Amino acid sequence: MSAENTAVYDFDLITIGAGSGGVAASRYAAAQGVRVAICEADRVGGTCVIRGCIPKKIFMYAAQFAESFADAPAYGWAAATHAFEMERLTGAKNAETERLEGIYRRMLSSSGVRLFAGRAQVADAHTVVVDGQRLSAGRILVATGAATARPPIPGIELALTSTELLDLRELPHRLLVLGSGYIALEFASIFRGLGSEVSLAFRAEAPLRGFDQDLRTRSATALRERGIDLRPGFKFARLERQAGGIVCHGADGQAVEADVVLNAMGRLPNSAGLGLEALGVKLDPGSGAVCVDAYSRSSVDSIFAVGDVTDRLALTPVAIAEGRAFVDTEFRGKPRRIDHSTVASAVFCLPPVACIGLTEAAARERGLRTTVFEADFRPMKNVISGRADRSYMKLVVDAASDRVLGVHMLGVDAPEIVQSLAVAVTMGATKQQFDATMAMHPTAAEEFMLMRTPRA
Ligand code: NDP
């Protein structure tokens, strides 16, 4: 730790935002003997714990029961009727997020991090004002996350955010989801599973822009098979409240009516109102993201930023890794940067999608000659139940080096399978090493070891 941090300031580090990135950086810094304060305007735990990954997954588990109930008779179970109560699910979710928030608070205090409740503002390069209190520090870390974007569509304020959907007391009869990214597909699948009629309106031709084209087309098919009404190429004109519900009008005259509309059209960094621009911290003119270098340094020497507010890769483990790398660099004299190029990610729609590495198109854009291996099959469980869902797996291999550049999967357990294969891909495994790995039978994952013939 450099001398500038020692006695002159109240703290060595003030973190703004007690979400995944902020808490990880603060606790890790405190464990090195750094004097840390953390400010939080809302609940401790941030998007992931309070209104994102964790509650979303609880809802997804709830939605999956519908499939089990439907498939059970084919396996010998007598058919039964099942009633779903939204309020009980929301209550269970609230209890779990409260439990986790308590754990986060205890972890902060047991690591010696001082928590200040309130909205923080950066007054100068070393001073933060929170709840009327002025705190000074050698370094300030901005970890304020992101929030739902509101594209300028007339009537967009009628649409709820994913946070509000997680607090519904009643299941909407008809849900319209705007967008076709992570949040859109996850919430469309969840509410369809819970029993809502769901429409998904989006501007692209296929959902999940940026994912491998073979996953995008198959994902659209799978969503349709589950009874979700897909409206690709939808040009949003306006939303309005009418007697029957909220109507979303397209520029071409089509209209979709629903009881609840979800705005899932992306998220924007929470950088406004912090006083950053006045201090000369460079923000991205389009998104408002705090511009940082590979070591999470902003354009002002003592101010740093990690996580969604930097708009690099908006994923919890990435924010945590960036926070810890910042501490290594700034307080442990061990400069470390995060490699954002090989990060596995999953969309927890039903069936889920997961991938790591390059898509076939991205590999081609880089001028790489690729060999593609794929498997498309009906999972064993569905053969008995008669469910139409298929699983799809794809390996994108560099023809010159035999290195596996990308692993892509749609189907049951895709996130668990791809997370494990991420070790091999990160290590630079070759297709021949995949082939040399003994399969585990009968599993779905074994298909990744048994792909012998490249696609023509
Ligand atoms: P995404 O970027 O995934 O999707 C945004 C969607 O909104 C896209 O379909 C996009 O369309 C559409 N859109 C954006 N602007 C407009 C516009 N002006 N008019 C019409 N459509 C528009 O954002 P999400 O909010 O779903 O998620 C934000 C981030 O949070 C993700 O990128 C991900 O990093 C993270 N996340 C991760 C999860 C996970 O790990 N499972 C779960 C949830 C979120 P188009 O495709 O045409 O650009």
Side-chain angles (χ1 to χ4, degrees):
M1 202 190 312
S2 67
E4 70 181 271
N5 288 325
T6 47
V8 277
Y9 301 116
D10 302 329
F11 295 96
D12 302 315
L13 171 67
I14 298 176
T15 302
I16 306 178
S20 302
V23 168
S26 300
R27 289 183 60 218
Y28 184 47
Q32 320 299 323
V34 176
R35 298 170 305 145
V36 189
I38 191 165
C39 313
E40 175 55 58
D42 201 326
R43 291 173 61 187
V44 172
T47 300
C48 172
V49 173
I50 306 296
R51 59 194 89 88
C53 321
I54 302 297
K56 174 272 308 286
K57 198 148 182 195
I58 293 171
F59 271 49
M60 192 203 74
Y61 286 135
Q64 277 178 317
F65 281 101
E67 284 175 29
S68 302
F69 296 145
D71 293 352
Y75 282 90
W77 291 93
T81 53
H82 301 95
F84 172 70
E85 287 173 47
M86 189 79 196
E87 197 148 7
R88 283 180 63 188
L89 173 61
T90 309
K93 180 270 295 180
N94 288 344
E96 178 58 4
T97 55
E98 273 159 32
R99 188 183 75 85
L100 292 174
E101 185 181 3
I103 291 174
Y104 267 66
R105 284 178 180 276
R106 282 196 294 283
M107 285 191 315
L108 283 173
S109 78
S110 64
S111 358
V113 176
R114 294 253 328 258
L115 174 63
F116 292 84
R119 190 158 294 283
Q121 261 210 314
V122 186
D124 66 43
H126 292 281
T127 309
V128 169
V129 180
V130 56
D131 199 23
Q133 248 183 301
R134 286 179 82 81
L135 310 172
S136 64
R139 290 170 177 80
I140 296 169
L141 177 66
V142 181
T144 45
T148 306
R150 267 195 182 174
I153 300 166
I156 189 69
E157 66 283 354
L158 295 171
L160 302 183
T161 64
S162 53
T163 305
E164 291 160 321
L165 241 66
L166 290 166
D167 281 330
L168 289 179
R169 315 303 291 187
E170 270 179 47
L171 185 69
H173 179 56
R174 297 166 303 172
L175 172 70
L176 167 63
V177 178
L178 313 179
S180 62
Y182 283 79
I183 295 178
L185 261 60
E186 290 179 348
F187 280 78
S189 299
I190 286 168
F191 279 83
R192 181 69 195 132
L194 297 179
S196 298
E197 281 174 19
V198 178
S199 300
L200 187 75
F202 51 100
R203 65 183 176 185
E205 284 314 308
L208 293 177
R209 188 190 296 279
F211 282 74
D212 195 276
Q213 191 60 31
D214 282 309
L215 291 188
R216 297 181 70 191
T217 47
R218 284 172 171 82
S219 181
T221 305
L223 294 169
R224 279 200 183 93
E225 266 162 12
R226 276 162 194 258
I228 296 175
D229 164 36
L230 261 54
R231 306 286 184 109
F234 200 100
K235 293 187 176 56
F236 300 102
R238 67 184 193 284
L239 278 83
E240 63 185 16
R241 192 179 291 285
Q242 292 185 356
I246 300 167
V247 180
C248 179
H249 297 274
D252 60 358
Q254 65 173 314
V256 187
E257 190 178 277
D259 307 305
V260 171
V261 179
L262 169 66
N263 169 11
M265 292 190 285
R267 290 171 64 81
L268 287 175
N270 287 329
S271 60
L274 290 169
L276 294 174
E277 260 176 315
L279 282 180
V281 175
K282 194 168 172 250
L283 303 182
D284 179 84
S287 67
V290 179
C291 300
V292 289
D293 68 6
Y295 295 100
S296 298
R297 294 185 287 223
S298 81
S299 54
V300 171
D301 282 352
S302 58
I303 300 182
F304 303 78
V306 296
D308 294 6
V309 75
T310 64
D311 200 20
R312 287 177 280 187
L313 257 185
L315 299 170
T316 296
V318 174
I320 293 171
E322 288 168 357
R324 294 173 71 91
F326 152 76
V327 173
D328 280 340
T329 305
E330 294 298 317
F331 294 104
R332 299 185 70 218
K334 295 180 178 169
R336 202 160 63 78
R337 43 168 81 194
I338 296 301
D339 175 8
H340 292 91
S341 67
T342 314
V343 177
S345 79
V347 186
F348 293 89
C349 44
L350 299 172
V353 163
C355 62
I356 181 166
L358 296 182
T359 63
E360 199 183 337
R364 220 180 299 122
E365 272 164 29
R366 290 179 190 204
L368 297 167
R369 198 164 53 80
T370 57
T371 316
V372 171
F373 295 84
E374 54 186 2
D376 185 334
F377 57 95
R378 199 172 180 196
M380 197 170 143
K381 189 178 173 196
N382 295 354
V383 176
I384 304 287
S385 67
R387 182 170 289 279
D389 275 356
R390 299 182 68 78
S391 286
Y392 175 74
M393 295 167 168
K394 177 171 182 175
L395 289 181
V396 179
V397 178
D398 180 22
S401 65
D402 196 43
R403 186 174 169 166
V404 176
L405 301 171
V407 174
H408 308 273
M409 178 174 176
L410 174 145
V412 182
D413 296 331
E416 306 292 336
I417 293 169
V418 171
Q419 173 67 96
S420 301
L421 289 179
V423 179
V425 176
T426 306
M427 290 175 74
T430 60
K431 175 67 169 66
Q432 205 229 319
Q433 287 167 325
F434 270 61
D435 296 345
T437 305
M438 191 64 75
M440 182 195 281
H441 187 71
T443 63
E446 68 179 321
E447 292 299 327
F448 274 120
M449 319 300 144
L450 299 173
M451 295 172 169
R452 294 289 182 265
T453 314
R455 191 179 68 193

